[in-house]
């Protein structure tokens, strides 16, 4: 072990050490395995529920509303309290501070005050010596309700203008005139169902009271700062008395952005009241019933176009079923509006977004954050225009892409319209859409396969094949400007090892690894010399959620900023200490490299750091980053809400049994733009996983509520997520090469978390294509999602009846 204080003899010995020649590994651009991969597969990765129980730890169960809309007339919890093993029971009157824990807008009481607005809404909580006792005790409550009329249907809410937030609109040009003057005009609508997050690790937290009246919270949360803030508010204490720690989550997908906080708040109130550590882990049933989903949407379009299928005007309406409270619905419906064009220039367009209120659990963030529900509307339009004109859908898509100009479409000044501005006023810059689609069209052999499928469908009376190529243009940034910031903390120790902490959370996506690779790149050291610790609110404060595909963009740049600050001091020391030639100092292959009198000198990084420490050079720094250029004026509906766009495209081929509606995905080809990839294997894995999850949303995952507002698809027996057998027989995924991001992101990379989710839309579009072949591609089948065999069969029968 190196001594902290070196004698002249030790310095001489260091000078004589052999110089390391092995190249350092794990820098950006290299494929490295997930830092916890072996722990995941061996079971050694520690999640909140794996932590050893603390002395006197209590376990929580919650009693929820039996009705979707009701007034509580009386509550009798005597039998609950008297249950052997029950330590305490809390209701809303036991909350010391704020009752409403809405993340942005009010509407989410931590425990019901009087009015229940969805089945399962928490009314009281029980703490017992075991989880089994707590769950049994909950059932002994006697609650008297006055049942009120619920609104359970999004179209009914829309008719009644029953909204959680005001309607918003984007407007470009004069859509009404363009529609009236268009050579062709069609309308369409569809219901896009929601989606359960179905993370492997359910919602869970463990709360430990501290000696100063605060709380230490171990949470499975994508937003530790929000958990910290809301726990402080319900306890009526200052934020600095609450520390939240998140080492890893077993999946999140947006379901742990706002939905983790209620558990922590309930557990913290109980811990405050009893003075004991408290754990709250939801059962899968409770998790599905009591936490929000992806927003279902009811989408409508009215589009006008010319003989070539080029859009001249569009009136689009997207209505999100928000559930009972605002949660994040304002931003989610906004993003659906922003992405209702997907990759296509709408010309004169009006896009309206409604936030419908229903008496169901409040819907929340989910991978894509409303974007997929908007994108699928654009793809519905493209398919419908194509079949209206008798063209192949890919031809119509290519003609309407941003940046594709047409001689007959000109501006008011008579110039050819560049077709590069969205309906909300952002220019589509660094546009790769045409090139990307052209490359995929060739590599997937689209046209030959289309010809073969047409021949197959002519000769096959019962089985029909479908093919679709759909692109993605997805905006990267939080649409709420202040969230686009991040902090990081970097320490270098005297043996050359590095400690990294940042505000992002790890949910299996490889964020910790990617940010560590950024640090390895900056210091030119081996990745395995860098230790990343759990996300903690007392290390990096005021963090943004790990969401909006921004984790690496924000935290990677913040970590890089911390590294640059440390390097500035190190390099200044190196010039003075080694009397190095001007501008010759650099870090390379775990060494300090410099020129002295024209000759190259190399010092092992660890030795250099030790000498810098002796020279009293700072070896620790915070870092900070805020995304530039972004802005949005909500009043005018104009601005630049996104720093850049991520692009991709997918080709899916399916086969459909027209007698049963069953369908099978046979082949998928994906080409995706990730800029300069920080870790190609991780990025490909994200694309594959996102595609399968998107396919599941649109084909198998069906959320069903009965007429009493009760979720009946409340477990894995009644809710079908995609399994290995649902993956395509042939699955080809490629990254665009040599296409660095046009904006100054971390090493010119692009986000990869959410954009590829929308590649799953190509499966739904291909199924519609197969159904349309039943009517010789002359009719547009109505196919709401998910496209279950039942829905597919009904669509086939409808086409047969009309044909």
């Amino acid at each position: 072990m190196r001594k902290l204080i070196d004698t002249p003899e030790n310095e001489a010995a260091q000078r004589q050490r052999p110089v390391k020649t092995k190249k350092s590994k794990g820098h950006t651009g290299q494929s490295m395995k997930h830092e916890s991969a072996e722990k995941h597969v061996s079971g050694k990765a520690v999640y909140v529920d794996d932590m050893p129980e603390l002395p006197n730890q209590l376990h929580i169960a919650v009693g929820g509303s039996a009705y979707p809309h009701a007034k509580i007339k009386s509550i009798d919890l005597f039998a609950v309290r008297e249950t052997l093993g029950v330590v305490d029971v809390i209701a809303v009157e036991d909350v010391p501070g704020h009752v409403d824990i809405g993340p942005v807008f009010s509407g989410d009481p931590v425990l019901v005050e009087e009015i229940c607005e969805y089945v399962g809404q928490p009314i009281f909580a029980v703490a017992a010596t075991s989880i089994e006792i707590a769950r049994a005790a909950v059932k002994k409550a006697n609650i008297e309700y006055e049942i009120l009329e619920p609104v359970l249907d999004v179209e009914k809410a829309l008719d009644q203008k029953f909204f959680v937030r005001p309607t918003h609109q984007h407007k470009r040009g004069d859509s009404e005139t363009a529609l009236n003057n268009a050579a062709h005009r069609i309308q369409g609508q569809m219901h896009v169902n929601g989606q359960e997050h179905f993370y492997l690790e359910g919602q869970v937290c463990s709360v430990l009271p501290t000696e100063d009246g605060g709380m230490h919270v171990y949470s499975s949360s994508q937003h530790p700062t929000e958990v910290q803030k809301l726990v402080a508010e319900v306890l009526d204490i200052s934020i600095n008395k609450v520390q939240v720690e998140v080492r890893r989550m077993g999946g999140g997908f947006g379901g742990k952005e706002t939905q983790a906080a209620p558990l922590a708040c309930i557990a913290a109130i109980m811990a405050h009241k009893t003075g004991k550590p408290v754990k709250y882990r939801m059962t899968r049933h409770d998790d599905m019933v009591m936490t929000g989903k992806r927003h279902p949407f009811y989408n409508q379009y009215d589009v006008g176009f010319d003989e070539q299928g080029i859009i001249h005007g569009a009136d689009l309406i997207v209505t999100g079923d928000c559930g009972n409270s605002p949660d994040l619905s304002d931003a989610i419906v906004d993003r659906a509006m922003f992405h209702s064009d997907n990759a296509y220039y709408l010309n004169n367009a009006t896009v309206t977004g409604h936030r419908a209120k229903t008496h169901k659990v409040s819907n929340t963030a989910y991978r894509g954050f409303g974007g997929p529900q908007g994108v699928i509307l654009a793809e519905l339009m493209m398919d419908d225009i194509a079949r209206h004109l008798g063209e192949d859908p890919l031809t119509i898509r290519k003609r309407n892409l941003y940046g594709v100009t047409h001689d007959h479409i000109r501006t008011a000044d008579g110039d050819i319209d560049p077709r590069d501005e969205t309906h909300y006023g952002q220019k589509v810059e660094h546009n790769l859409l045409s090139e990307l689609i052209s490359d995929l069209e060739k590599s997937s052999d689209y046209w030959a396969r289309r010809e073969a499928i047409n021949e197959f469908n002519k000769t096959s009376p019962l089985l029909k094949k479908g093919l679709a190529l759909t692109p993605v243009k997805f905006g990267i940034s939080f649409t709420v400007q202040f969230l686009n910031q991040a902090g990081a903390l970097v320490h270098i120790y005297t043996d050359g090892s590095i400690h990294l902490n940042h505000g992002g959370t790890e949910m299996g996506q490889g964020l910790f690894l990617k940010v560590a690779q950024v640090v390895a790149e900056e210091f030119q050291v081996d990745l395995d010399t860098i230790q990343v610790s759990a996300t903690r609110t007392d290390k990096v404060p005021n963090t943004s959620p790990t969401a909006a595909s921004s984790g690496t963009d924000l935290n990677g740049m913040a970590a890089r900023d911390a590294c640059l600050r440390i390097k500035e001091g190190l390099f200044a020391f190196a010039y003075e200490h080694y009397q190095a030639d001007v501008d010759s100092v650099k870090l390379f292959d775990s060494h300090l490299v410099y020129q002295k009198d024209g000759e190259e000198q190399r010092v092992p990084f660890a030795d250099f750091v030790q000498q810098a420490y002796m020279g009293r050079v700072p070896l620790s720094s915070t870092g900070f980053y805020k995304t530039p250029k972004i802005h949005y004026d909500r009043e005018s509906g104009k601005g630049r809400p996104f720093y850049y766009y991520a692009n991709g495209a997918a080709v899916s081929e399916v086969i459909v049994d027209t007698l049963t509606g069953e369908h099978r995905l046979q082949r998928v080809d994906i080409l995706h733009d990730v800029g300069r990839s920080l870790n190609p294997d991780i990025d490909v894995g994200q694309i594959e996983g996102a595609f399968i999850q998107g396919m599941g949303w649109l084909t198998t995952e069906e959320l069903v509520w009965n007429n009493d507002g009760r979720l009946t698809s409340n477990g894995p027996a009644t809710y079908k997520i995609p399994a290995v057998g649902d993956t395509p027989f042939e699955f080809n995924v490629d990254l665009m090469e040599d296409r660095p991001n046009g904006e100054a992101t971390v090493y010119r990379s692009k986000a990869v978390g959410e954009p590829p989710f929308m590649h799953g839309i190509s499966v739904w579009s291909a199924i519609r294509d197969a159904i349309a072949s039943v009517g010789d591609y002359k009719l547009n089948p109505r196919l709401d999602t998910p496209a279950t065999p039942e829905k597919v069969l009904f669509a086939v029968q409808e086409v047969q009846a009309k044909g």
Side-chain angles (χ1 to χ4, degrees):
M1 181 179 293
R2 185 177 293 103
K3 295 180 180 179
L4 286 180
I5 300 177
D6 284 338
T7 64
E9 291 80 7
N10 284 336
E11 289 184 359
Q14 288 174 14
R15 286 196 297 271
Q16 294 170 9
R17 286 181 188 153
V19 173
K20 174 184 172 184
T21 57
K22 184 178 71 172
K23 288 184 69 67
S24 53
K25 64 181 185 299
H27 297 178
T28 57
Q30 298 179 23
S31 289
M32 304 297 293
K33 67 181 179 183
H34 192 288
E35 39 80 32
S36 292
E38 292 179 6
K39 298 175 188 175
H40 290 160
V41 298
S42 66
K44 293 180 180 178
V46 177
Y47 298 87
V48 175
D49 201 33
D50 298 319
M51 296 169 61
E53 284 207 6
L54 299 167
N56 302 314
Q57 181 170 286
L58 303 178
H59 298 266
I60 280 187
V62 167
S65 171
Y67 300 97
H69 195 201
K71 181 178 179 180
I72 296 175
K73 297 177 70 175
S74 66
I75 303 178
D76 181 1
L77 301 177
F78 178 78
V80 177
R81 294 181 188 276
E82 292 301 303
T83 302
L84 184 64
V86 168
V87 175
D88 211 338
V89 180
I90 60 170
V92 68
E93 58 267 20
D94 297 299
V95 180
H98 293 187
V99 170
D100 198 307
I101 58 170
V104 182
F105 305 101
S106 61
D108 292 288
V110 63
L111 295 169
V112 170
E113 296 181 89
E114 184 180 21
I115 303 296
C116 302
E117 294 202 297
Y118 66 92
V119 172
Q121 187 170 15
I123 298 173
F124 66 95
V126 177
T129 53
S130 75
I131 187 61
E132 292 79 14
I133 292 173
R135 290 172 183 164
V138 160
K139 299 175 182 178
K140 299 179 181 180
N142 184 11
I143 303 175
E144 185 182 1
Y145 300 91
E146 177 188 337
I147 300 174
L148 305 174
E149 180 70 24
V151 174
L152 300 173
D153 178 72
V154 66
E155 290 189 60
K156 181 178 179 181
L158 187 59
D159 289 341
Q160 295 180 4
K161 293 184 168 51
F162 191 44
F163 299 148
V164 297
R165 292 289 299 157
T167 293
H168 187 46
Q169 192 171 79
H170 299 148
K171 204 168 177 64
R172 172 192 163 95
D174 185 348
S175 60
E176 185 177 355
T177 300
L179 286 167
N180 290 333
N181 294 338
H184 299 270
R185 182 176 180 178
I186 60 174
Q187 294 83 31
Q189 60 182 333
M190 71 177 299
H191 283 277
V192 184
N193 206 348
Q195 186 179 22
E196 166 63 35
H197 298 88
F198 220 96
Y199 22 60
L200 289 179
E201 177 203 30
Q203 299 281 2
V204 60
C205 71
S206 183
V207 179
L208 175 66
T210 60
E211 62 183 28
D212 58 359
M215 295 286 161
H216 194 106
V217 181
Y218 297 94
S219 177
S220 184
S221 171
Q222 295 172 234
H223 199 348
T225 288
E226 181 172 274
V227 173
Q228 178 191 32
K229 174 179 176 288
L230 293 176
V231 165
E233 288 181 354
V234 297
L235 295 181
D236 196 22
I237 59 177
S238 58
I239 293 176
N240 65 352
K241 288 189 175 182
V242 180
Q243 284 79 45
V244 177
E245 182 171 339
V246 181
R247 172 55 188 93
R248 59 171 59 85
M249 287 165 275
F253 311 118
K256 295 175 180 177
E257 183 173 346
T258 63
Q259 304 292 284
L263 281 81
C265 289
I266 290 171
I269 295 166
M270 190 68 79
H272 171 79
K273 193 163 185 276
T274 62
K276 296 181 179 181
V278 173
K279 182 178 180 180
Y280 182 7
R281 177 176 65 83
M282 283 185 166
T283 62
R284 179 65 67 180
H285 173 274
D286 284 352
D287 199 331
M288 294 187 73
V289 169
M290 298 169 66
T291 66
K293 325 291 177 202
R294 178 184 295 280
H295 287 60
F297 267 70
Y298 172 51
N299 291 339
Q300 302 159 277
Y301 77 78
D302 185 353
V303 63
F305 48 95
D306 61 23
E307 297 290 348
Q308 292 182 286
I310 299 166
I311 294 174
H312 287 252
D315 188 353
L316 312 180
I317 302 173
V318 295
T319 303
D321 181 347
C322 303
N324 77 97
S325 75
D327 192 77
L328 301 175
S329 294
D330 232 21
I332 288 167
V333 176
D334 278 358
R335 191 172 274 270
M337 295 169 64
F338 287 133
H339 288 83
S340 60
D341 60 341
N342 190 19
Y344 313 112
Y345 181 71
L346 298 180
N347 208 332
N348 299 281
T350 301
V351 179
T352 306
H354 300 298
R355 287 93 170 133
K357 178 170 179 173
T358 55
H359 291 110
K360 299 176 184 175
V361 63
S362 186
N363 290 310
T364 191
Y366 200 129
R367 197 174 195 170
F369 203 76
Q373 295 97 310
V375 169
I376 199 170
L377 176 58
E379 297 309 322
L380 172 71
M381 283 195 299
M382 291 299 115
D383 285 340
D384 289 1
I385 291 169
R387 282 187 276 270
H388 180 84
L389 294 175
E391 294 269 15
D392 188 276
L394 178 56
T395 300
I396 299 302
R397 286 183 166 93
K398 289 166 65 177
R399 288 175 183 168
N400 281 288
L401 288 174
Y402 277 105
V404 174
T405 58
H406 303 280
D407 288 342
H408 67 292
I409 300 179
R410 296 178 176 268
T411 67
D413 298 327
D415 300 323
I416 293 178
D417 190 340
R419 297 165 55 85
D420 62 354
E421 185 179 292
T422 66
H423 54 284
Y424 48 89
Q426 177 164 347
K427 289 286 183 70
V428 180
E429 301 172 306
H430 319 299
N431 187 354
L432 301 173
L433 288 165
S434 291
E435 177 189 355
L436 189 150
I437 290 173
S438 178
D439 288 350
L440 182 61
E441 183 182 349
K442 294 171 186 172
S443 65
S444 67
D445 206 13
Y446 179 89
W447 292 108
R449 290 165 65 192
R450 170 60 76 190
E451 188 174 334
I453 285 171
N454 287 345
E455 288 301 314
F456 175 89
N457 288 340
K458 287 177 184 176
T459 58
S460 176
L462 301 179
L463 299 178
K464 300 293 182 181
K465 289 187 177 182
L467 185 71
L469 188 158
T470 61
V472 173
K473 173 186 68 66
F474 192 79
I476 304 298
S477 292
F478 287 100
T479 53
V480 178
Q481 187 184 44
F482 73 84
L483 292 176
N484 294 282
Q485 59 177 303
L489 178 64
V490 174
H491 306 312
I492 305 179
Y493 296 102
T494 54
D495 63 351
S497 62
I498 298 170
H499 181 92
L500 166 65
N501 192 272
H502 56 80
T505 56
E506 175 62 51
M507 61 192 97
Q509 82 278 41
L511 175 63
F512 276 21
L513 172 62
K514 280 189 170 182
V515 180
Q517 285 183 272
V518 171
V519 175
E521 179 79 30
E522 282 303 319
F523 289 117
Q524 288 290 300
V525 296
D526 284 343
L527 182 65
D528 58 16
T529 66
I530 299 166
Q531 180 69 37
V532 188
S533 61
T535 310
R536 285 179 54 127
T537 54
D538 57 352
K539 282 193 173 182
V540 176
N542 309 318
T543 59
S544 295
T546 305
S549 304
S550 66
T552 303
D553 280 8
L554 294 177
N555 296 287
M557 287 295 272
R560 184 169 182 262
D561 180 57
C563 296
L564 292 174
R565 293 171 187 270
I566 295 171
K567 284 167 63 176
E568 184 179 4
L570 286 174
F571 283 10
F573 169 77
Y575 281 118
E576 180 181 352
H577 184 76
Y578 299 109
Q579 298 180 348
D581 296 344
V582 176
D583 297 330
S584 69
V585 173
K586 64 179 180 180
L587 295 171
F588 184 71
D589 279 347
S590 299
H591 283 74
L592 172 75
V593 179
Y594 65 94
Q595 298 276 337
K596 185 175 182 180
D597 298 330
E599 293 186 10
E600 184 178 285
Q601 307 291 324
R602 294 165 66 91
V603 180
F605 182 74
D607 294 345
F608 171 49
V609 167
Q610 171 69 19
Q611 290 163 354
Y613 169 75
M614 298 300 297
R616 298 186 295 179
V617 176
L619 297 176
S620 174
S621 181
T622 58
F624 181 78
Y625 176 74
K626 63 178 181 179
T627 309
K629 297 186 178 182
I630 53 175
H631 59 90
Y632 180 65
D633 179 9
R634 192 170 183 79
E635 188 171 332
S636 65
K638 300 290 183 183
R640 178 181 177 153
F642 307 116
Y643 189 28
Y644 63 89
Y645 294 104
N647 303 296
V651 180
S652 287
E653 181 178 332
V654 302
I655 188 166
V656 173
D657 185 335
T658 59
L659 288 180
T660 65
E662 292 178 282
H663 45 82
R664 186 75 172 89
L665 178 59
Q666 296 191 302
R667 176 177 168 182
V668 174
D669 297 80
I670 296 173
L671 181 60
H672 200 81
D673 159 38
V674 296
R676 180 186 179 273
S677 176
L678 297 179
N679 188 317
D681 280 1
I682 291 288
D683 286 348
V684 169
Q686 283 288 290
I687 293 166
E688 291 171 342
F691 172 83
I692 295 297
Q693 192 174 42
M695 177 189 75
W697 165 52
L698 296 173
T699 59
T700 67
E701 299 183 43
E702 187 168 29
L703 290 166
V704 179
W705 276 267
N706 64 17
N707 293 332
D708 297 324
R710 195 174 299 276
L711 182 69
T712 58
S713 53
N714 53 25
T718 51
Y719 185 82
K720 185 181 185 304
I721 62 172
V724 172
D726 297 302
T727 57
F729 295 118
E730 185 176 347
F731 198 173
N732 304 310
V733 177
D734 290 305
L735 305 179
M736 279 196 97
E737 296 182 355
D738 302 319
R739 292 295 183 275
N741 196 340
E743 298 296 342
T745 52
V746 58
Y747 303 122
R748 301 287 176 169
S749 63
K750 282 191 175 182
V752 72
E754 292 172 302
F757 179 92
M758 280 144 284
H759 291 322
I761 293 172
S762 63
V763 180
W764 170 80
S765 190
I767 293 171
R768 282 192 86 215
D769 184 66
I771 298 168
S773 74
V774 174
D776 197 24
Y777 301 103
K778 293 177 181 177
L779 297 173
N780 282 308
R782 172 77 182 265
L783 186 62
D784 293 341
T785 70
T788 59
E790 295 88 346
K791 287 195 179 80
V792 171
L793 181 59
F794 295 154
V796 168
Q797 291 172 343
E798 183 183 11
V799 171
Q800 289 171 335
K802 290 181 178 178

